[in-house]
Every structure is written in structure tokens, then in C-alpha cells.
Amino acid sequence: MTSRKHDRTTLLIGATTPLLAACEGPQSALDPAGSAAELIARLWWPTLFVAVLVTLLVLALLAVAIFRAHKRNAALPLSARQSRNLVIAGGIILPLAATIPFALSSFSIGRTIDAPLPDNAMTVEVIGKLWWWEVHYLDEAGDRIATTANEIHIPVGEPVRFLLKSDNVIHSFWVPNLQGKTDMIPGRTNVTSMTANEPGVYRGQCAEYCGTQHALMAFLLVAEEPEAFDDWLAGQRQPAAAPETDAQARGHDVFLDAGCAACHTIRGTPANGEIGPDLTHIASRRTLAGATVPNRTGHLGGWITDPQHVKPGNKMPPSELTPEELKTLLGYLESLE
Ligand code: CUA
């Protein structure tokens, strides 16, 4: 990663910059790293070019009109027929010539990037929550084989199907560097797909206003080599690591006794809540709280103690733990790789 990219990232996403140290540069639809995003960017640049030309033309004509209005005999020396031809050319032919090619190529690109994938393509189910992302990996029969949150891994070079859902309000699933937006609508399953052409960590963002923390409803999309992806998925399928030390065992007990288990699942333990993110492999994730803060001890402790300070309005209540309980809980959660 170059320092130039760091700088651009800083400019684009100021407040969340520390997080983006993990990312491959700016979150931008104009810096495509996937097949669909490349087609979208290829349509976007000529659209911008023509729109700028048209704007300049209109401004120039406006300037001429204003200039002439200050003169006597301001009317253009045109016959009725010439005036009519001018209206037809400038009011009908020119707008159609400027827009029809874009309409056609937009239609064609839309069909290409939304083309259905073969049945055996890898499928990821993503459910929009308030304000985070529940992620399930499905097998060919459509059964869930692994569950995570706010961090989606895919193998580079392989098309991946996404089944997009919401059980609350409308969200929109968007990884600008890889694909256009797709809405997540309650009661519906929308389908999109993505192919990452370059390994990297790309930031995804909810693109439909969904409440106070819409801006902090983000996730990371990690595109990695197929072997690394297979290792990752195999790890995510495992139940949680059992506590290895006494301190971790105490942290495990704090998790169950303090009420965390009512909302969170840790597979392999009695914790099976379904309101918040699955924490079975929380230590393997780069960020917390919908890519709001990095997954480091201090941030995790701050989040557990006062989540409403980090992300006001989210569903997690504050925890009243003694310092010793918090310390062992953090130690336990950080062992869940
Ligand atoms: Cu979810 Cu905006």
C-alpha cells in the first residue's frame, strides 16, 4: 500500500481512518478491483465527460442570451423556419443523442453485472441489522455452514453470490470497489454477485438511510487467495476454542453470568442468543460494531462497558462489570480466534 493511497483514504473517510489502515486504499467506485465495478466505472467516466460538455454548452448559451439581452434589437436574426429547426436540433435531437447511448450501455452493463451465477457458485447470505451485518456461508443445499458478522471473506477470482435480506428496515449492501448497490428489503431476498480481481480488504457501507447509525453501518470485505479463504472458512466452521487458562475460564463464566449470552451466540458453549453478532470467532475479526472501531483490547473494553457512547442508539446495553470481571471477559473473548 502506498502512502498516496493512505492520504486519499484520510481525505475520503476522515473519522474512521484508523480502521482503514487495514484497507487497500480508498473506498471508491472509481478505484475498481472487481469485474462489476470496472464496468460501472467504465460507464461513469464518459457519462461525466458528456454531462460536463452539456453543462458548459448550456452555460455558454446562457451567457450569450444574457449578453444579447443588454443590447437593443436583441432578437436573433432568424427566420421562423430557422428557429423551428434550432428547437428541433437543440431540444430533441441533441438530448436524445446524448442520452440514448448511455441508456443502452447502462441496460447492457446492468444485465452483465446482474447475470445469474451457476447453481454451484459460492453463496453468502447477508442480513441487514440495526446497524450491523449478519453473515452466513451456505453449502450447495442452502444450509448455513458458518456464521460471522461485519467481515465477509471471499476467494479472489471466483464469482460469489450474495442473498440479501433484512428483518427490520431497508438497508443497501454496497462495496463500491467491487459492485454496485443492492437494497436489502424486509420480506424479500435480493440477489447480487461479486468477483474480486485483486486480493485486498475493501470497505463496504450501507447505502440506504436506516436510522441514526446508518453512517456507521459498515463492514470489511476481505478478498484473499483461494487457499487462504479455504483456511479461513474451515476455521469459521469450527466451534469456539475452549478456555485454555483459568483466567479464560473465568471470562467464559462472566460471559454466561453477566447476560451476554442472552443476545450473543458462542458456538460450543451454552450461549445461543440471536439478537447481536455471533461471537464464536470474534478475535479473528479486524473490527467491532459494524466496522466502527478496530478490534483491539481497549476498544473492545470500551464497547462492552459503554456501547451507547461508541454508537448511540444501538441495541447493546452497558455492562456493569467489576474491573476484574471485565479483564477476564476480554481475555476470554480475545482467545476466540
Ligand atoms: Cu443500514 Cu443504512
Side-chain angles (χ1 to χ4, degrees):
M1 185 162 35
T2 65
S3 60
R4 183 184 62 87
K5 283 198 162 181
H6 267 307
D7 293 342
R8 286 168 67 195
T9 308
T10 311
L11 282 174
L12 283 167
I13 331 227
T16 51
T17 299
L19 271 185
L20 292 174
C23 291
E24 292 300 311
Q27 171 192 311
S28 169
L30 303 180
D31 192 10
S35 314
E38 268 161 26
L39 288 171
I40 293 170
R42 216 181 284 168
L43 177 62
W44 192 87
W45 286 110
T47 310
L48 175 70
F49 180 73
V50 170
V52 168
L53 270 188
V54 169
T55 305
L56 292 178
L57 181 66
V58 170
L59 290 176
L61 291 174
L62 185 65
V64 169
I66 291 170
F67 182 70
R68 291 187 67 94
H70 288 291
K71 291 185 163 185
R72 273 179 215 156
N73 299 324
L76 283 172
L78 294 179
S79 67
R81 184 195 165 95
Q82 284 171 322
S83 295
R84 197 191 58 201
N85 287 347
L86 189 65
V87 168
I88 292 174
I92 300 176
I93 296 175
L94 192 63
L96 287 179
T99 51
I100 286 178
F102 289 121
L104 292 177
S105 62
S106 167
F107 178 71
S108 150
I109 287 174
R111 281 180 61 107
T112 307
I113 66 180
D114 285 335
L117 299 184
D119 285 346
N120 63 358
M122 196 180 88
T123 304
V124 183
E125 178 187 21
V126 184
I127 304 172
K129 299 285 186 173
L130 295 170
W131 293 269
W132 57 283
W133 313 79
E134 185 175 306
V135 181
H136 302 282
Y137 285 75
L138 308 185
D139 64 12
E140 287 194 21
D143 294 323
R144 293 172 177 177
I145 54 172
T147 295
T148 182
N150 303 325
E151 185 169 311
I152 301 171
H153 289 231
I154 64 172
V156 169
E158 244 179 71
V160 179
R161 177 192 297 112
F162 287 88
L163 306 182
L164 304 175
K165 303 176 181 178
S166 168
D167 61 6
N168 43 84
V169 299
I170 300 176
H171 304 273
S172 185
F173 180 80
W174 192 29
V175 186
N177 300 69
L178 295 182
Q179 170 63 297
K181 305 166 184 174
T182 306
D183 278 357
M184 311 172 100
I185 299 172
R188 260 189 79 101
T189 300
N190 279 343
V191 183
T192 188
S193 62
M194 257 180 235
T195 309
N197 295 336
E198 296 165 31
V201 181
Y202 307 100
R203 188 172 183 274
Q205 167 71 50
C206 181
E208 180 77 38
Y209 182 72
C210 55
T212 52
Q213 295 301 332
H214 157 72
L216 293 181
M217 182 171 170
F219 61 98
L220 296 184
L221 190 132
V222 181
E224 53 198 356
E225 296 299 342
E227 305 79 53
F229 170 77
D230 290 343
D231 287 348
W232 175 85
L233 186 59
Q236 297 291 316
R237 295 180 71 164
Q238 298 296 317
E244 282 183 354
T245 65
D246 286 350
Q248 287 172 7
R250 288 203 302 280
H252 166 271
D253 294 345
V254 169
F255 188 89
L256 295 179
D257 296 342
C260 313
C263 294
H264 295 283
T265 291
I266 297 181
R267 280 174 281 133
T269 77
N272 61 0
E274 292 187 344
I275 295 172
D278 183 305
L279 303 179
T280 308
H281 299 289
I282 183 183
S284 73
R285 307 207 276 260
R286 290 161 170 78
T287 70
L288 299 169
T292 301
V293 289
N295 187 4
R296 298 197 195 112
T297 314
H299 287 289
L300 184 55
W303 174 255
I304 292 170
T305 311
D306 192 2
Q308 297 301 322
H309 177 77
V310 181
K311 201 165 172 176
N314 85 84
K315 289 187 178 167
M316 175 136 161
S319 311
E320 287 178 12
L321 300 173
T322 65
E324 172 63 17
E325 286 171 334
L326 180 62
K327 194 175 150 199
T328 55
L329 177 60
L330 288 172
Y332 172 60
L333 291 174
E334 293 191 322
S335 75
L336 300 178
E337 296 216 340

